[in-house]
Amino acid sequence: MDISLKTTDGEIGETGVGDGLRVKIIGVGGAGTNTVDRLQFGEQGQARLAAINTDAQALASSPIPEKLMIGRSVTRGLSTGGEAELGRKAAENDVSSILNMVSGMDLVFILVGLGGGTGSGAAPVVARQARDQGALVVAFATLPFSLEGGRRLEIAEAALGELRLVCDAVIPLPNDLLLQQAEENATVLDAFTQADDWIGRGVGSICAMLFQTGLINVDFATLKKAFCVQGGKTLFGLGRGEGGDFVEKALQDLALCPLLHTPEYARKADRLLVNIIGGTDLGIGHVNRVMAAVTERFGSKADTVLGAVIDDNLQSTVEICVIGTTDVGGGRYVRQPVKSYAAKPKPPESPQGRPIDKAQGGPAAPKLDLEETSAPDNRESDYEPLPELDSVRPHDGAQGRSTETRMPQVHQSKLKKTEANDGTDQEEFLFVSEEEQRGYFDKTDRNLFDGEDLDVPTYLRRGIRVTL
Amino acid sequence: MSQSKIVAAVEIGTSKTVVLVGEIVNGRSLSVIGMGQSSSSGVKKGEILDFKAASNSTHAAIMGAEKSAGVNIDAVYLAQTGRHLEGFNNKGSVTVSAADGHVSGSDIERAQREGKSKELPQDRVYIHHIKNEVLLDGRKVDEPYHMKGERLDIGYWSIHGDERRVRDHIHVINGFGLPVEDMIVSSIASGSMVVGDEEKKAGALVLDIGCGATDWVLYQDGYIARTGVVAVGGDHLTNDLALGLRVNRRNADKLKLQCGKAILEKDDLTEKVWMVGDHMIGDRHIPKKAMVQIIEARLDELFRIVKKQIGPRCTAQNLPGGIILTGGTSQIEGICELAAKVFGAEARLGVNPRIVSEDLRGPEFSTVLGLLHYALTGQHAEEFNTGAHERGILRKVVKLIAG
């Protein structure tokens, strides 16, 4: 899979969207690093690749240009041996190097395999640093196979919960699904390639929206707006159609995408990001059909961000990528600008000589977004910190996670109005968010038996392949 | 002049709430004189999640039942399920006090008290103490009163539940202005309907597979040896099918009911079924193989979990009475074959007593019928009479006639 993240000059450059937008793809832990390796993203674009690991040996063998070994004093260059606590300590010990790695970035993708030590422990730390630096953080997290045992699953779920609190969007990919998708006699490697493929298409789609020429371009501010509430469930689906009635085929493929049929995912989204990649024969009529079908299925037309990109290599082919975020389960972790009291080292210098001052104007103030959508890059507009924003800012400690604020509600979930309005047990609601990801059996007690959650379909946990 | 008491059996189930009204005449016979049903909401996996919604649907069912019976209900017998229910074996042991070595009523009382005296954690509450093995000097006896021996052991299978959940259940009924006479765990209620005395004596296992949970009860030597709950039921099948076949819940439920099957056969490998069946746009073919695979995996796992919960006692030798399946989900084709395969014992579908009217014979009514049965016989029939009155003379006649 090769995704070129080319910036095309011309109209995009002029609007200043692709310009100076800095994207980093960071693999955390062994699995995450491998994924970044295998994806072989082109280095041409602004997307830079980086790897963070505790295992010196694994890191040495990786071709990724930017490598960071963490926790030398904790693990002495060895792996964490599956201890998430060690992974966290390792990351916290080297927090300044991580800070360096993420500072000045606008968009950070974190690719991580949860369940192990380094990934589960360090990824939330990395995500928090990136977010505190003002970057938009999107994490793709693979979850271990059920047959790997209860302990790894527990670690993974705890880490997933933590990630949800600090990332703008977390897209979980249960490995159990790989078995569903793989060919009858696929090897383990094939299965993992499939996971990488999903992640690659997800990352690629978001980047393509920002960087590539398209029928409909999406600027970074719009993208940020789509992810303005943190901690909620996400929705992620891919569909592809070729030849003939390629739009219809792609829509069918999307409807059957196993990623959309796991307990981990939301059925409807409050904000939807739809990206369509097609050849030059992709007409606006096609785009319209896709949009109509997708918004009908996943919800809210009003809050849908649409991108349509032309790729010359994809004649009579169309790829649809849907990413949705919801307020469900996440409460209202509204994106906050960097806190002024945080010890924020000024980013070394920005290549364009432009001050990267994310303290102001982030989409944390959705009101601004609504007014300023015409300004493609509202980071440039030099807002004074808004007084009303300050007043709602929590006055508590310097902990990164305490940024949950009650913002005046702008994006209210259309999905579960009653809950969103139910102010009484809001606190509880926030804290159980990570457990509320099980589809129909949401909000019921975990149904654990021998470390397995019985509410998750048996065929998924046992790796029984269901062919449709 | 006959005295009659109007009792209701209420099961707040995951898919529906069923209320049966029975008239007990002179404490001897019972007739079913009314019935009410409503589809439940706010209940998942047998537990109440939304008190208000569950109350509303339950009250609607009670109202319907009262209306159909034309009388007011005096008291309610309530079924209880949910994975919060747990049980343990406990034994009360005493030394026979009388000098002549004959067991006296006070010996039995002391042993019973000791057997039930184990303290529970703060938030747990006892629901039943079910007497099972009675040993006099290590030998099994049915009735120790006046027998000669030195040491008396009375064993109990004690079932306890989460206090808040149990209280929630009772409050739903109280909210209608009715007292709860007794609470009976679903497994025991269902078991009393579908297993005969002979099978209880021989050893049998009853699985009541409902919509939200599976209640099981193991009989040995004529008594209830163990009970348990697995919070897996028909809802899980629907959910699995919805996810696995990528259809919505409504269609998944429909597929499950129409062509659900628990065991894969040769013909299923190639057969395809329509998702909706109306041949309209959006309808598509679904391979039956996929469907059966998903159901088989779930039920197979369910049976294995029950087997594991029972432990080493769960062998074919201990279950000559076989496996008896009841509850709404037991209607899936091929479920007996699958159960027989997993447990290595004979399996059959439970049948409610013939005296019950036609429309109450369905497996989903086993629990409520069982509740009425207990309303009549008194759930404490398991207890000994301690010499105060003779047992057997007042044996109540179970006579269930639909109204």
Side-chain angles (χ1 to χ4, degrees), chain A residues 139-204:
Chain A
F140 286 82
T142 57
L143 303 177
F145 289 103
S146 289
L147 44 93
E148 284 180 74
R151 197 181 133 66
R152 280 180 75 86
L153 214 60
E154 263 171 48
I155 294 177
E157 278 179 0
L160 186 64
E162 275 183 64
L163 269 180
R164 282 201 160 103
L165 294 180
V166 291
C167 292
D168 292 282
V170 180
I171 293 156
L173 303 158
N175 272 346
D176 285 337
L177 277 187
L178 299 178
L179 295 169
Q180 297 297 316
Q181 198 64 353
E183 294 300 318
E184 204 69 70
N185 40 19
T187 62
V188 182
L189 210 61
D190 292 339
F192 286 123
T193 313
Q194 174 73 57
D196 294 344
D197 182 50
W198 278 335
I199 295 173
R201 279 159 76 183
V203 173

Side-chain angles (χ1 to χ4, degrees), chain B residues 88-107:
Chain B
F88 60 86
N89 271 313
N90 200 22
K91 214 177 236 180
S93 310
V94 292
T95 314
V96 176
S97 56
D100 61 356
H102 287 298
V103 176
S104 68
S106 73
D107 291 330

Side-chain angles (χ1 to χ4, degrees), chain A residues 368-404:
Chain A
L368 294 177
D369 267 45
L370 296 175
E371 291 168 5
E372 298 287 336
T373 31
S374 54
D377 194 351
N378 62 2
R379 290 176 301 122
E380 277 203 332
S381 22
D382 216 353
Y383 292 113
E384 283 305 306
L386 296 166
E388 67 262 42
L389 242 181
D390 266 334
S391 60
V392 292
R393 213 172 268 169
H395 300 290
D396 52 7
Q399 259 197 344
R401 273 217 248 160
S402 61
T403 43
E404 309 101 277

Side-chain angles (χ1 to χ4, degrees), chain A residues 41-99:
Chain A
F41 286 105
E43 262 291 324
Q44 317 98 309
Q46 275 90 340
R48 297 190 220 157
L49 305 180
I52 297 177
N53 205 346
T54 49
D55 188 341
Q57 205 181 350
L59 212 53
S61 63
S62 163
I64 298 167
E66 190 177 349
K67 292 186 262 198
L68 174 62
M69 199 185 107
I70 54 170
R72 196 182 291 275
S73 57
V74 181
T75 65
R76 281 166 301 148
L78 301 172
S79 87
T80 52
E83 290 293 326
E85 203 41 52
L86 275 183
R88 178 199 317 283
K89 272 194 196 132
E92 277 164 0
N93 275 359
D94 285 300
V95 90
S96 56
S97 330
I98 294 173
L99 205 71

Side-chain angles (χ1 to χ4, degrees), chain B residues 191-214:
Chain B
S192 68
M193 279 295 104
V194 296
V195 187
D197 286 343
E198 283 306 307
E199 289 163 323
K200 285 185 188 172
K201 202 105 203 147
L205 173 67
V206 178
L207 288 169
D208 180 346
I209 312 172
C211 175
T214 297

Side-chain angles (χ1 to χ4, degrees), chain A residues 175-334:
Chain A
N175 272 346
D176 285 337
L177 277 187
L178 299 178
L179 295 169
Q180 297 297 316
Q181 198 64 353
E183 294 300 318
E184 204 69 70
N185 40 19
T187 62
V188 182
L189 210 61
D190 292 339
F192 286 123
T193 313
Q194 174 73 57
D196 294 344
D197 182 50
W198 278 335
I199 295 173
R201 279 159 76 183
V203 173
S205 231
I206 296 177
C207 290
M209 249 190 265
L210 294 173
F211 295 127
Q212 265 173 275
T213 346
L215 293 172
I216 303 162
N217 283 318
V218 175
D219 61 32
F220 188 60
T222 320
L223 185 71
K224 265 188 150 178
K225 203 180 136 202
F227 293 123
C228 69
V229 175
Q230 299 175 350
K233 273 189 176 189
T234 53
L235 171 157
F236 176 59
L238 296 159
R240 188 187 170 94
E242 269 175 78
D245 193 357
F246 54 85
V247 172
E248 194 50 46
K249 282 182 187 162
L251 285 173
Q252 263 172 23
D253 192 36
L254 179 69
L256 289 180
C257 177
L259 289 171
L260 291 171
H261 292 86
T262 74
E264 292 291 318
Y265 281 91
R267 293 292 144 81
K268 295 266 180 189
D270 282 317
R271 288 160 302 278
L272 208 57
L273 200 65
V274 183
N275 191 40
I276 304 163
I277 307 176
T280 43
D281 51 355
L282 179 76
I284 199 80
H286 295 136
V287 175
N288 211 7
R289 256 174 75 202
V290 171
M291 271 301 278
V294 167
T295 48
E296 194 202 346
R297 172 120 202 282
F298 303 108
S300 75
K301 205 164 221 157
D303 289 311
T304 301
V305 175
L306 172 70
V309 175
I310 300 295
D311 187 331
D312 292 339
N313 305 324
L314 292 172
Q315 288 310 325
S316 60
T317 301
V318 68
E319 262 197 57
I320 308 170
C321 172
V322 181
I323 298 174
T325 59
T326 66
D327 304 344
V328 179
R332 292 163 229 152
Y333 300 94
V334 181

